[in-house]
Amino acid sequence: MHILVINGPNINMLGVREPDVYGRGTYDELCGMIKKHAEKNGVSVELFQSNHEGDIVDRIQEAYKKCDGIIINPAAYTHTSVAVLDALKAVGTPTCEVHISDVNEREEFRRFSYVSLYAEKTIIGHGFEGYLEALEYLVKKYG
Ligand code: DQA
């Protein structure tokens, strides 16, 4: 089983960015945790981060028929991007959405997610652990 993990804008700034909201762990540490968990679960993972909406759309399209599952934290594009939603719908790959923070307890505009209209599971507010839970969900269902 092959899983693609996509992180959107400013996720590369983890550790520096609003540590009271996102914690002190860095993006590299997050990647390390995901890789270790993937190994433990016997799956291969590819990690992709971009600050650019079109690059995220391109990466989702490239996953067509190549990945068995997608884990995506679209970050700010969660709340704005019909293009990311449409790309996920176009490739039809089983998708889990993850948010590090509890978006429902923050500003009103963070409560709506375009990606949730397609993702079959959304994990909110579990910190970095949310990615590991998403991986386990995909492995259990499609692995
Ligand atoms: C986020 C929540 C979004 O509202 C925000 O724009 C992010 C990160 C999260 O992981 O909690 O950049 O997706």
Side-chain angles (χ1 to χ4, degrees), residues 5 16 23 25 35 42 44-45 47 53 60-61 65-66 69 88 90 95 105 108 110 115 122 127 140:
V5 182
V16 173
K35 280 184 199 158
S44 56
V45 273
L47 295 136
E53 186 175 15
I60 293 168
Q61 289 184 8
K65 288 194 171 163
K66 288 192 198 117
L88 290 168
T95 296
E105 295 297 324
E108 181 71 38
R110 293 187 203 272
V115 166
T122 300
K140 210 176 251 179

Side-chain angles (χ1 to χ4, degrees), residues 7-11 14 17-18 21-22 73-79 97-103 106-107 109-111 123-125 127 131:
N7 278 290
N10 302 303
I11 298 296
L14 286 173
R17 167 187 196 206
E18 300 178 83
V21 177
Y22 299 108
N73 180 351
Y77 292 138
T78 305
H79 320 295
E97 175 185 7
V98 174
H99 298 285
I100 297 166
S101 67
D102 186 348
V103 280
R106 300 179 64 194
E107 302 95 324
F109 68 85
R110 293 187 203 272
R111 289 190 193 165
I123 298 167
I124 287 172
Y131 293 84

Side-chain angles (χ1 to χ4, degrees), residues 113-127:
S113 163
Y114 281 101
V115 166
S116 284
L117 301 176
Y118 174 74
E120 61 178 69
K121 189 170 177 69
T122 300
I123 298 167
I124 287 172
H126 294 184

